[in-house]
Each structure stands twice: as C-alpha cells, then as structure tokens.
Amino acid sequence: MCIAGVATGLYAGVWWAFIGGIMDVITEIRADELDAMNIAIGIAKVMFAGAIGSFSAMVLFVPGLALIKA
C-alpha cells in the first residue's frame, strides 16, 4: 500500500495536476476562443499540484504504514 500511495501521489501531483494543468492552459491559449474558466482551472491545478499529490499519496501511505506497524 505504501508503494501504491507513492505512485498515486506522483501520478496525481506531477502528471495530472502539474503537467496536465500546464497543457490545459497552453491548449486554451492556442484555441480560437478563450475560456477564462478553463484557464483558471489549469492555473489552479498547477498551483495546488503539491497539495494534490501529497493528499493522494497519504490516502494509501498512512494506512499502509499503520498495517506495517501493527
């Protein structure tokens, strides 16, 4: 569970939030019509990428650590 938690945290924080947020902003800027909400969501994903990754990692890491110590 600990390894899965770290993998989930890396995927959610780095790939989905950070890189995905940057790609969302670039895609919206290159579009014919700008949508401010999509740009704002992309920027928010980049800003909170660390928190998203940390939280999603802790969801599996903490119970896994508790099972190891039990």
Side-chain angles (χ1 to χ4, degrees):
M1 283 180 80
C2 292
I3 294 171
V6 171
T8 303
L10 286 173
Y11 172 76
V14 175
W15 183 252
W16 181 78
F18 189 72
I19 295 173
I22 292 171
M23 289 174 53
D24 289 346
V25 171
I26 291 172
T27 303
E28 247 345 278
I29 290 173
R30 296 183 72 197
D32 293 334
E33 294 183 18
L34 291 176
D35 187 10
M37 181 58 95
N38 287 339
I39 293 174
I41 290 172
I43 292 171
K45 282 169 61 175
V46 171
M47 289 177 59
F48 294 112
I52 292 169
S54 297
F55 179 74
S56 61
M58 290 301 146
V59 167
L60 289 175
F61 190 80
V62 171
L65 196 60
L67 286 173
I68 290 173
K69 288 185 177 183

